[in-house]
Amino acid sequence: MPLVVVGISVLVLLFLMTRLKLNGFAALLLVAVGVALVRGIPVATIPDVLADGLGGQIGDTMLTIGLGAMVGRVMGDSGAAQRIAGRLLDICGPRWVQVAMVLTAMLIGVTMFYEVAFVIIVPVAFTLVRVTGANLLWVGLPMSIALSTMHSFLPPHPGPTAVAATFHASVGLTLFYGLFIAVPIGAAIALLWPRLPFVRAMNPTVPTGLVSDKVFEEDELPGLDWSLAVALLPVVLIAGAAVTDMATDAESGLVHTVEFIGSAPVALLLTLLVAIWAFGPRIGRSLEEVSASCRGAAQAMAMILLVIGAGGAFKQVLVEGGISDYIKDATDGWSISPIILAWLVAAILRVALGSATVAVVTASGVVLPLVAGSGVHAEIMVLAVSCGSIAFSHVNDPGFWMFKEYFNLSVVQAIKARTTYTTVLAILGLGGTLLLELALDTL
């Protein structure tokens, strides 16, 4: 049974990494090869499947994460991240730092991918931890939870947008309805989860090399205006492209230019160039010093990228091994609420395949025949599938490994922190979609 294979592969991976202390990159590749053999993928094609998965995942994330890490390191080494963190503390105070992180993450995360927003905000979280002495998860976990919610529940993120197109749902209405679910649920879990005993028992340190250890004096810090301008530049560029895409169907050179500039890698590259100038020659730092910051970020990111890439290889083996086709066949003909079925199919696919985007696209194809005859609003069906796709993030999810590595957690700790919060978000999201459909029916 394919799902048994998935379960056993996860247990083997946990054994290799927790008991044998095998490196995550090697462990993921080893388990991926084992699953490929069990699922009958021809031996001659296994290297190509692994390469496709690893290359596809790194190709999607390397530029974004790499450039984002460089921007963050330049801001950290120049004191810009400390300036922003200090201003957040002045406005909110240490008691309300979590609220500040949630608000920041939600505002940025509405239009930005999880990975992009994460690498932009996380240097501020690291700096807040260093300045306040707070637990890393106390500050960073609310940010990650808020970003996960925005990314998984709402357009214009790729999963919900793809499902909206499949169901012929309004992207604008899906976003509008989704905010009523995502904002209260995301904020509540973001503020609750760091307070749970099993999370508070974890006390990870900030990973070395991703942020400066220097504490700057007030007269050494760059201005708040420049610090905020550089931090928000990629947000403005990416959000501007998203708004342009939603607001117009026109095909013109201007529209294509805006989309090009607003693509995550180009926006971050432009931001890096501005950061190098703003926090280098403009304030008297040499280009050599700034270049050293970029090199340090690249070295620190090397293993993180390899682990994320290996997670992509594992995911690809599961896809090629026919796991998604098996689940589609197994759920065909289930007689339950269309909303619950849509959520459940997406959640099962998420557990089996890891990729939220693959889960929502596949699930939308399974439940598409139900949309027209069910009487359920198409936008609600989009939200049901999207909510299901965030559930049970674990070791076959490349985002899991990014979370683990940035927060310097063990595999078991990452499962306790991330797998639990993503599952609760998904369940509460299902409840929200059911209530929202009921409310719409009564209007």
Side-chain angles (χ1 to χ4, degrees):
M1 184 177 178
L3 292 183
V4 173
V5 174
V6 174
I8 293 174
S9 68
V10 171
L11 293 176
V12 171
L13 184 59
L14 290 174
F15 176 78
L16 291 174
M17 295 189 65
T18 58
R19 296 297 298 273
L20 301 185
K21 306 298 181 184
L22 190 62
N23 172 271
F25 176 71
L28 279 163
L29 289 182
L30 186 61
V31 172
V33 171
V35 172
L37 292 172
V38 172
R39 291 300 300 157
I41 297 177
V43 174
T45 65
I46 290 177
D48 291 334
V49 173
L50 295 177
D52 288 344
L54 191 148
Q57 188 63 49
I58 291 184
D60 289 340
T61 60
M62 182 176 67
L63 292 176
T64 296
I65 295 177
L67 290 169
M70 289 181 186
V71 172
R73 183 62 187 264
V74 170
M75 292 184 66
D77 286 352
S78 66
Q82 183 178 327
R83 171 66 79 185
I84 296 172
R87 185 56 178 162
L88 282 174
L89 285 177
D90 291 341
I91 294 173
C92 301
R95 287 186 58 191
W96 298 98
V97 66
Q98 290 179 315
V99 175
M101 294 304 295
V102 170
L103 290 175
T104 302
M106 284 190 167
L107 288 172
I108 292 177
V110 167
T111 56
M112 297 184 70
F113 291 4
Y114 175 87
E115 294 85 358
V116 182
F118 191 102
V119 296
I120 290 173
I121 306 174
V122 79
V124 178
F126 287 162
T127 303
L128 283 169
V129 168
R130 190 190 64 215
V131 172
T132 64
N135 185 303
L136 175 56
L137 292 181
W138 184 259
V139 178
L141 190 54
M143 172 203 76
S144 180
I145 292 172
L147 290 178
S148 293
T149 308
M150 297 293 107
H151 180 88
S152 298
F153 284 22
L154 304 174
H157 296 295
T161 302
V163 180
T166 301
F167 291 169
H168 301 290
S170 165
V171 172
L173 274 179
T174 302
L175 175 59
F176 178 72
Y177 293 153
L179 286 171
F180 287 98
I181 301 174
V183 172
I185 289 175
I189 298 303
L191 296 176
L192 169 65
W193 230 243
R195 290 169 166 77
L196 297 178
F198 68 87
V199 175
R200 299 198 70 168
M202 306 175 200
N203 190 23
T205 57
V206 175
T208 57
L210 292 181
V211 69
S212 173
D213 294 326
K214 180 180 179 181
V215 177
F216 294 84
E217 300 296 331
E218 181 65 26
D219 59 356
E220 296 178 303
L221 295 173
L224 180 64
D225 51 353
W226 273 104
S227 301
L228 284 174
V230 172
L232 293 177
L233 178 58
V235 181
V236 172
L237 294 177
I238 294 171
V243 170
T244 301
D245 181 61
M246 288 189 293
T248 180
D249 294 327
E251 294 288 334
S252 68
L254 178 60
V255 171
H256 291 314
T257 300
V258 171
E259 291 177 348
F260 169 72
I261 294 175
S263 63
V266 174
L268 286 168
L269 178 59
L270 292 175
T271 302
L272 178 61
L273 295 176
V274 173
I276 288 173
W277 174 78
F279 304 129
R282 195 188 68 82
I283 59 174
R285 295 178 73 221
S286 68
L287 287 176
E288 184 177 354
E289 290 179 282
V290 183
S291 297
S293 298
C294 295
R295 287 196 300 272
Q299 291 167 357
M301 289 303 302
M303 184 51 66
I304 293 177
L305 284 169
L306 284 175
V307 172
I308 292 172
F314 185 26
K315 175 205 71 178
Q316 190 66 27
V317 165
L318 295 175
V319 173
E320 294 291 334
I323 304 295
S324 60
D325 292 335
Y326 170 81
I327 294 171
K328 286 173 66 175
D329 294 338
T331 55
D332 185 38
W334 284 8
S335 299
I336 58 176
S337 162
I339 293 176
I340 296 176
L341 177 60
W343 182 93
L344 192 58
V345 172
I348 294 172
L349 285 163
R350 163 71 155 177
V351 173
L353 302 178
S355 169
T357 302
V358 174
V360 294
V361 171
T362 306
S364 64
V366 174
V367 301
L368 178 59
L370 299 177
V371 176
S374 66
V376 178
H377 292 78
E379 292 77 17
I380 300 300
M381 290 292 285
V382 174
L383 293 173
V385 174
S386 299
C387 291
S389 74
I390 193 178
F392 306 108
S393 170
H394 64 103
V395 294
N396 62 353
D397 174 17
F400 173 91
W401 296 101
M402 181 177 178
F403 176 90
K404 173 195 174 298
E405 296 296 324
Y406 263 99
F407 289 137
N408 214 8
L409 300 169
S410 69
V411 175
V412 173
Q413 288 175 326
I415 289 174
K416 289 180 178 180
R418 180 174 168 88
T419 306
T420 54
Y421 90 65
T422 55
T423 302
V424 172
L425 283 176
I427 294 172
L428 293 178
L430 172 61
T433 57
L434 291 169
L435 290 175
L436 193 55
E437 176 63 20
L438 181 63
L440 291 174
D441 285 342
T442 58
L443 293 178

